[in-house]
Amino acid sequence: MGSPKKDQNKGFFSAMTSGLSLFGNAMHRSVNGLLGYEGVEVINPEGGKEDAEEEAHRGRWKQEERESYWKMMHKYIGSDVTSMVTLPVLIFEPMTMLQKIAELMEYSYLLDQADECEDPYLRLVYASSWAISVYHAYQRTWKPFNPIIGETYEMVNHGGITFISEQVSHHPPMSAGHAENEHFTYDVTSKLKTKFLGNSLDVYPVGRTRVTLKRDGVVLDLVPPPTKVNNLIFGRTWVDSPGEMIMTNLTTGDKVVLYFQPCGWFGAGRYEVDGYVYNAAEEPKILMTGKWNESMSYQPCDMEGEPLQGTELKEVWHVADTPKNDKFQFTYFAHKINSFDTAPKKLLASDSRLRPDRFALEKGDLSKAGSEKSRLEERQRAEKRTREGKGHQFTPRWFDLTDEISATPWGDLEIYSFNGKYTEHRATVDSSDSIDEVDMASIEFNPWQYGNLSTE
């Protein structure tokens, strides 16, 4: 068994995955000597047609900003900079990592279809297409805000889903999330790791994602590929996610292995995804192909991975229309996530929508966004010192730390589980006659204006 990367000499994808589109690395030219920064490279996702110096000066940074940022960042080369570096607000988007988790729910109807599907292999087609669909949004090159410990994000009014996420740890930064509707439950513990390489950043998705389909009780486990952010300082910033995505049906042993092609010479292979659904005996059953920024299709195949005669390629997912010339490259759903249209009755006071730095950036006030961001970060450090001085530890409100340790390709992970208290909270709030827009009973958990987050 294997992805098309491994089976490149046979099957339906042999022509697709040969040559430069499979193994070619993105064209790059060193700007050492041109700009005087040792070890910095500029990669052009469209190929290598422009002069390296011209390409290096593209992007959102002014020259003086590039030089200042480089002087600050070069000492961190090779380090995990997930939470250790104070970054300028001009590279941020008005969204937090907790909201970023919620973006996975845009095409949640695919999980509804997976739950309703009786074919075990087609079920994996729907579910894996759901996992791929978010990469269209993840290609945005703006950085989301790191959540403050105890920060939350709630979402309702989308596909019958109730969604809650919470920042459960600051060092290391960890988030937990739970979503549920009549068809599925979704649970995630996320602890991103990064490696700063000068002009690029490797992002390793240390985490565990589980989806339970309610009709048959099927449990699906997802392992996504790593991501590389290119041209952080010099050149046009762009994102690639080369590698394998594996979704396993833990109930039956069936799995889907999808290979995200790396961006090759002159942009060859960029966005392309190919792979197969396998049964528990590791025999291919369905081939899948498409582009993670556009659409995915599938077709039944034989034991050699060739399309079955009399069948045709069918599209299972297509990206929705997106706003034109959006400043932050937001989708319509991303705007919906930031709006109060998806907020429940009596929103928790710790919700990301209420972050003053995020809100200021959304309104275009970079000065206020920067000062509020610094204030919140200092406040978080001060509260940590106070807790440690008292010998206390922060306790998440909606998720509990378990004894389970999950192994991932990038390190072990402590697992947080949804404790059900949020479901009880929402039932109480929804039955209340109060018309407060913010849940005043949760004010003690508000990190923005009202005081301490900790549940000591």
Side-chain angles (χ1 to χ4, degrees):
M1 191 198 81
S3 70
K5 177 184 66 172
K6 298 174 182 176
D7 298 327
Q8 57 183 306
N9 295 320
K10 63 178 183 178
F12 178 67
F13 296 106
S14 59
M16 290 178 155
T17 60
S18 63
L20 295 176
S21 64
L22 176 61
F23 292 111
N25 293 319
M27 170 70 84
H28 67 272
R29 295 184 180 181
S30 172
V31 294
N32 303 344
L34 290 172
L35 298 176
Y37 300 121
E38 187 65 31
V40 178
E41 293 177 326
V42 175
I43 302 172
N44 179 3
E46 307 303 327
K49 299 178 182 179
E50 294 87 0
D51 178 81
E53 185 172 16
E54 178 185 349
E55 179 67 19
H57 284 82
R58 298 191 180 201
R60 71 188 68 151
W61 295 87
K62 298 177 182 178
Q63 183 60 30
E64 60 272 19
E65 291 170 343
R66 285 191 178 107
E67 294 176 351
S68 174
Y69 188 50
W70 173 250
K71 289 177 182 177
M72 178 181 74
M73 293 296 296
H74 78 274
K75 62 183 176 182
Y76 295 109
I77 290 177
S79 300
D80 183 350
V81 294
T82 309
S83 63
M84 64 182 289
V85 179
T86 299
L87 300 172
V89 75
L90 66 89
I91 70 169
F92 283 72
E93 63 180 9
M95 181 177 286
T96 73
M97 280 301 302
L98 297 177
Q99 294 172 288
K100 203 86 167 176
I101 294 174
E103 280 201 90
L104 264 168
M105 294 296 116
E106 178 168 7
Y107 300 95
S108 61
Y109 70 84
L110 290 166
L111 290 180
D112 296 346
Q113 291 176 316
D115 182 54
E116 295 169 343
C117 183
E118 296 185 0
D119 185 316
Y121 310 122
L122 189 55
R123 175 185 290 157
L124 281 173
V125 169
Y126 287 124
S128 60
S129 295
W130 161 79
I132 288 171
S133 67
V134 76
Y135 281 83
H136 175 265
Y138 283 3
Q139 69 180 319
R140 294 197 304 266
T141 57
W142 306 91
K143 183 189 181 304
F145 285 92
N146 283 345
I148 301 297
I149 192 169
E151 183 177 337
T152 58
Y153 177 75
E154 301 176 85
M155 182 177 71
V156 295
N157 303 326
H158 175 73
I161 293 169
T162 298
F163 177 94
I164 177 69
S165 56
E166 181 177 12
Q167 190 72 358
V168 294
S169 172
H170 178 55
H171 283 298
M174 295 182 66
S175 308
H178 175 83
E180 186 168 359
N181 70 3
E182 64 178 323
H183 291 287
F184 68 87
T185 60
Y186 158 84
D187 291 282
V188 63
T189 300
S190 175
K191 183 179 73 174
L192 293 180
K193 277 181 67 175
T194 61
K195 187 174 183 180
F196 179 61
L197 300 173
N199 199 36
S200 64
L201 183 74
D202 287 346
V203 182
Y204 306 104
V206 180
R208 191 182 77 174
T209 299
R210 293 277 172 87
V211 174
T212 302
L213 303 179
K214 290 187 172 181
R215 192 187 70 164
D216 295 332
V218 166
V219 179
L220 306 177
D221 179 80
L222 175 67
V223 179
T227 293
K228 191 178 190 71
V229 185
N230 300 281
N231 299 350
L232 283 175
I233 306 172
F234 306 99
R236 293 170 292 179
T237 307
W238 60 283
V239 177
D240 202 16
S241 295
E244 286 185 339
M245 171 185 283
I246 302 174
M247 177 175 277
T248 304
N249 183 330
L250 299 179
T251 307
T252 65
D254 304 331
K255 67 174 60 177
V256 55
V257 181
L258 298 170
Y259 185 64
F260 286 52
Q261 305 286 354
C263 180
W265 292 62
F266 305 106
R270 192 178 182 202
Y271 309 119
E272 292 180 8
V273 180
D274 304 312
Y276 294 95
V277 177
Y278 299 91
N279 65 13
E282 301 188 349
E283 299 166 336
K285 291 295 181 179
I286 299 177
L287 63 85
M288 296 182 65
T289 187
K291 293 186 175 183
W292 53 259
N293 69 330
E294 185 178 297
S295 65
M296 288 299 297
S297 299
Y298 72 95
Q299 188 171 1
C301 65
D302 61 22
M303 296 285 287
E304 296 299 318
E306 299 285 352
L308 287 178
Q309 291 188 355
T311 65
E312 60 183 16
L313 205 61
K314 293 183 179 180
E315 187 175 81
V316 66
W317 164 76
H318 194 96
V319 69
D321 291 337
T322 56
K324 303 296 183 184
N325 302 316
D326 189 86
K327 179 179 180 180
F328 294 103
Q329 303 167 310
F330 273 14
T331 63
Y332 287 113
F333 186 66
H335 283 290
K336 188 177 178 181
I337 283 174
N338 259 345
S339 77
F340 287 90
D341 294 339
T342 54
K345 179 182 178 181
K346 295 181 72 174
L347 184 69
L348 290 170
S350 51
D351 194 88
S352 296
R353 296 177 185 84
L354 305 176
R355 268 187 82 133
D357 51 357
R358 188 213 64 77
F359 185 75
L361 182 60
E362 186 177 27
K363 298 303 180 184
D365 190 340
L366 267 68
S367 177
K368 184 174 182 180
S371 62
E372 288 289 354
K373 177 175 175 290
S374 297
R375 181 182 67 83
L376 291 175
E377 290 171 344
E378 179 51 41
R379 179 175 180 169
Q380 180 169 228
R381 288 189 285 267
E383 290 188 353
K384 180 183 178 182
R385 290 192 295 268
T386 300
R387 283 196 304 272
E388 291 178 346
K390 296 178 180 179
H392 295 167
Q393 289 186 335
F394 173 79
T395 303
R397 190 178 183 189
W398 312 114
F399 297 86
D400 293 335
L401 178 62
T402 71
D403 294 329
E404 185 177 359
I405 303 294
S406 178
T408 80
W410 305 282
D412 290 342
L413 176 74
E414 297 175 314
I415 301 300
Y416 284 80
S417 67
F418 180 65
N419 59 24
K421 293 179 182 178
Y422 180 77
T423 303
E424 298 171 3
H425 164 78
R426 284 258 56 94
T428 301
V429 168
D430 291 343
S431 64
S432 169
D433 294 330
S434 171
I435 59 174
D436 292 337
E437 291 186 1
V438 175
D439 178 21
M440 300 306 291
S442 72
I443 222 71
E444 68 209 78
F445 300 97
N446 180 14
W448 320 135
Q449 302 293 340
Y450 301 104
N452 207 312
L453 277 172
S454 61
T455 60
E456 300 158 359

